[in-house]
């Protein structure tokens, strides 16, 4: 399990990677349409839009057949999500992305980034039009930062063992940018605009837990983290696939929060929220609702206060955390004895645990259960990921 909640800095890496991959994919398509209808030469790949041509491997039977190139540039899109990635993939090494208008290499590059107008009047660029921005700022259209991936529904597959495997693939298309407006929406009659403006992107908050992410976004991050780490291992010639990152089950979360202390009220053990010197042991809403009494008005850095005996920080307070479990008030009564977990695809309520900076002490207890609907994005809910333990050498 992550020793801290996922931070803004870690989640920004995810958002930036998805943004860059979406932009590179459009640039690759433009390059394929612009380059002559044949195998591109090195000269064509070394200038302008050609630098963003995808990596490709042409099957041996088509190496000398120029007409066969139509298969890869015609109606079937080689960069489509369901295409053969062994033949085409984005080339991240040949050229960096360029964001300044003055430095665009050619018109074709500018058309992709700034957008061209289709016949129906739709702007397909990556920046918002001028009438949707202000103060002369260029604002990236965050709705285009979408992470596409597939999962396998094993629970459904075991019900129909004779069906084709592909019937249980589930395509996910998740807009990954966090909802920064949650800071304003969650609290009426409060001046939270500075948090809305700065919390996710400003460097001052890099080590603070990310908030404003839904359960689906947290799950998408875990999938991306697995893919990203596996790609790193592949490039380093290690060849060892890592265990999948995922959200913890409710039972896993509670076991980790207790830190080996049986029947403990809080992750630090005893029934009190202050130590012997009168200092609070977590970030929450103490006393009669004085948010700042614990020296934190909102969230604090992810590595704050003392960790529990498993070395995990802020398992109580700071932000509540998504788990992968569906919420059922009677779950403790019918859970299995081995890795108990409740998964119900029809149930939109997901368990959150740990309490947050805006909660009273009751919600910080390791036994307290709460839930939120999986599509909700709150200024007080974050997450951390886990991996299955595969043993040691």
């Amino acid at each position: 399990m992550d020793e801290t909640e996922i931070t803004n800095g870690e989640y920004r890496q995810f958002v930036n990677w998805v943004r860059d991959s979406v932009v590179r994919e459009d640039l690759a398509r433009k390059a394929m349409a612009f380059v002559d209808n044949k195998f591109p030469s090195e000269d064509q790949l070394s200038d302008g839009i050609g630098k963003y041509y995808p990596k490709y491997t042409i099957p041996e039977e088509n190496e000398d057949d120029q007409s066969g190139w139509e298969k890869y540039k015609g109606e079937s899109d080689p960069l489509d999500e369901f295409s053969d990635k062994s033949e085409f993939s984005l080339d991240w090494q040949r050229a960096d992305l360029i964001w300044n208008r003055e430095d665009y290499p050619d018109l074709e590059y500018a058309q992709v980034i700034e957008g061209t107008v289709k016949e129906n009047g739709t702007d397909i660029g990556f920046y918002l039009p001028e009438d949707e921005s202000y103060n002369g700022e260029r604002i990236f259209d965050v709705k285009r930062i979408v992470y596409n991936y597939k999962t396998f529904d094993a629970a459904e597959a075991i019900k129909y063992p004779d069906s084709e495997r592909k019937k249980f693939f589930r395509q996910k298309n998740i807009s990954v940018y966090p909802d920064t407006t949650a800071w304003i929406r969650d609290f009426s009659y409060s001046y939270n605009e500075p948090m809305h403006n700065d919390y996710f992107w400003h460097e001052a908050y890099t080590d603070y837990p990310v908030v404003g992410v839904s359960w689906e976004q947290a799950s998408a991050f875990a999938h991306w983290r697995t893919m990203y780490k596996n790609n790193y291992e592949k490039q380093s010639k290690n060849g060892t696939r890592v265990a999948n990152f995922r959200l913890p089950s409710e039972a896993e979360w509670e076991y980790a929060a207790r830190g080996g202390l049986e029947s403990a009220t809080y992750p630090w053990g005893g029934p009190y929220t202050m130590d012997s010197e009168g200092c609070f042991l977590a970030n929450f809403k103490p006393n009669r609702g004085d948010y700042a009494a614990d020296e934190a008005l909102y969230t604090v850095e992810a590595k704050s206060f003392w960790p529990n005996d498993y070395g995990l920080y802020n398992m109580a307070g700071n932000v509540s955390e998504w788990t992968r479990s569906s919420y059922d008030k009677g779950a403790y009564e019918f859970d299995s004895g081995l890795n108990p977990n409740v998964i119900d695809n029809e149930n939109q309520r997901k368990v959150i645990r740990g309490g947050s900076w805006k909660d009273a002490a009751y919600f910080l207890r390791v036994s307290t259960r709460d839930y939120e609907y999986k599509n909700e994005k709150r200024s007080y809910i974050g997450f951390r990921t886990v991996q299955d333990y595969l043993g040691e050498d």
Side-chain angles (χ1 to χ4, degrees), residues 43-99:
D43 289 341
Q44 290 174 309
L45 300 182
S46 62
D47 188 40
I49 193 68
K51 291 182 178 181
Y52 301 92
Y53 204 88
K55 293 180 180 178
Y56 63 92
T57 301
I58 303 302
E60 292 182 2
E61 61 269 20
N62 289 332
E63 283 185 350
D64 299 321
D65 182 7
Q66 297 294 317
S67 62
W69 187 242
E70 289 291 345
K71 171 186 175 183
Y72 305 103
K73 292 191 58 178
E75 295 181 359
S76 62
D77 186 351
L79 287 173
D80 186 76
E81 175 68 22
F82 302 99
S83 69
D84 186 356
K85 290 296 195 294
S86 65
E87 296 177 6
F88 284 89
S89 61
L90 298 180
D91 191 338
W92 292 73
Q93 305 300 322
R94 187 184 293 126
D96 295 331
L97 293 178
I98 300 171
W99 303 107

Side-chain angles (χ1 to χ4, degrees), residues 12-39:
R12 280 204 301 263
Q13 183 186 14
F14 173 43
V15 171
N16 288 337
W17 186 95
V18 177
R19 178 201 64 188
D20 290 356
S21 65
V22 170
V23 172
R24 284 185 180 276
E25 188 165 323
D26 274 18
L27 288 171
R29 288 196 174 97
K30 187 71 170 180
M32 295 185 74
F34 184 72
V35 172
D36 291 340
N37 193 20
K38 59 185 178 182
F39 301 121

Side-chain angles (χ1 to χ4, degrees), residues 266-323:
Y266 298 104
W268 50 83
Y272 305 108
T273 58
M274 302 175 71
D275 62 17
S276 59
E277 297 179 356
C279 297
F280 285 103
L281 296 168
N283 178 20
F284 65 109
K285 184 171 67 174
N287 302 331
R288 294 180 176 271
D290 185 356
Y291 286 99
D294 56 0
E295 300 184 1
L297 186 59
Y298 299 104
T299 58
V300 294
E301 290 91 339
K303 189 174 282 189
S304 299
F305 300 98
W306 290 105
N308 70 3
D309 286 353
Y310 286 161
L312 306 176
Y313 291 84
N314 287 308
M315 293 301 286
N318 211 22
V319 293
S320 297
E321 299 175 14
W322 289 113
T323 72

Side-chain angles (χ1 to χ4, degrees), residues 206-235:
T206 292
D207 295 326
Y208 285 63
V210 67
V211 297
V213 294
S214 68
W215 183 87
E216 292 279 16
Q217 289 174 316
S219 299
F221 173 89
H223 181 277
W224 168 82
R225 203 178 199 188
T226 304
M227 178 274 299
Y228 192 81
K229 185 65 183 296
N230 279 329
N231 284 346
Y232 172 81
E233 295 292 334
K234 182 178 180 180
Q235 292 173 8

Side-chain angles (χ1 to χ4, degrees), residues 30-230:
K30 187 71 170 180
M32 295 185 74
F34 184 72
V35 172
D36 291 340
N37 193 20
K38 59 185 178 182
F39 301 121
S41 66
E42 284 302 316
D43 289 341
Q44 290 174 309
L45 300 182
S46 62
D47 188 40
I49 193 68
K51 291 182 178 181
Y52 301 92
Y53 204 88
K55 293 180 180 178
Y56 63 92
T57 301
I58 303 302
E60 292 182 2
E61 61 269 20
N62 289 332
E63 283 185 350
D64 299 321
D65 182 7
Q66 297 294 317
S67 62
W69 187 242
E70 289 291 345
K71 171 186 175 183
Y72 305 103
K73 292 191 58 178
E75 295 181 359
S76 62
D77 186 351
L79 287 173
D80 186 76
E81 175 68 22
F82 302 99
S83 69
D84 186 356
K85 290 296 195 294
S86 65
E87 296 177 6
F88 284 89
S89 61
L90 298 180
D91 191 338
W92 292 73
Q93 305 300 322
R94 187 184 293 126
D96 295 331
L97 293 178
I98 300 171
W99 303 107
N100 293 328
R101 285 173 173 168
E102 296 79 8
D103 299 327
Y104 289 165
D106 57 17
L107 177 60
E108 288 70 33
Y109 187 97
Q111 288 176 339
V112 172
I113 302 299
E114 299 294 336
T116 56
V117 179
K118 293 181 178 180
E119 293 181 359
N120 61 5
T122 302
D123 193 324
I124 59 172
F126 286 97
Y127 287 96
L128 294 177
E130 292 184 2
D131 60 354
E132 293 187 29
S133 57
Y134 54 91
N135 295 335
E137 294 185 21
R138 298 174 68 212
I139 301 176
F140 198 93
D141 185 1
V142 297
K143 292 181 179 179
R144 296 208 60 185
I145 307 178
V146 178
Y147 184 62
N148 304 307
Y149 69 105
K150 279 188 283 190
T151 61
F152 179 71
D153 191 343
E156 191 69 15
I158 62 174
K159 299 178 184 178
Y160 309 97
D162 297 328
S163 298
E164 293 181 328
R165 180 181 176 86
K166 64 182 180 181
K167 290 185 177 180
F168 307 107
F169 292 162
R170 302 291 181 258
Q171 179 67 30
K172 303 284 187 178
N173 306 297
I174 309 298
S175 179
V176 300
Y177 197 87
D179 185 2
T180 57
T181 64
W183 287 103
I184 298 175
R185 188 180 61 254
D186 287 344
F187 302 96
S188 301
Y189 308 109
S190 299
Y191 179 59
N192 290 329
E193 280 79 355
M195 303 298 284
H196 162 264
N197 294 334
D198 300 326
Y199 184 77
F200 180 60
W201 275 112
H202 199 285
E203 288 299 320
Y205 295 103
T206 292
D207 295 326
Y208 285 63
V210 67
V211 297
V213 294
S214 68
W215 183 87
E216 292 279 16
Q217 289 174 316
S219 299
F221 173 89
H223 181 277
W224 168 82
R225 203 178 199 188
T226 304
M227 178 274 299
Y228 192 81
K229 185 65 183 296
N230 279 329

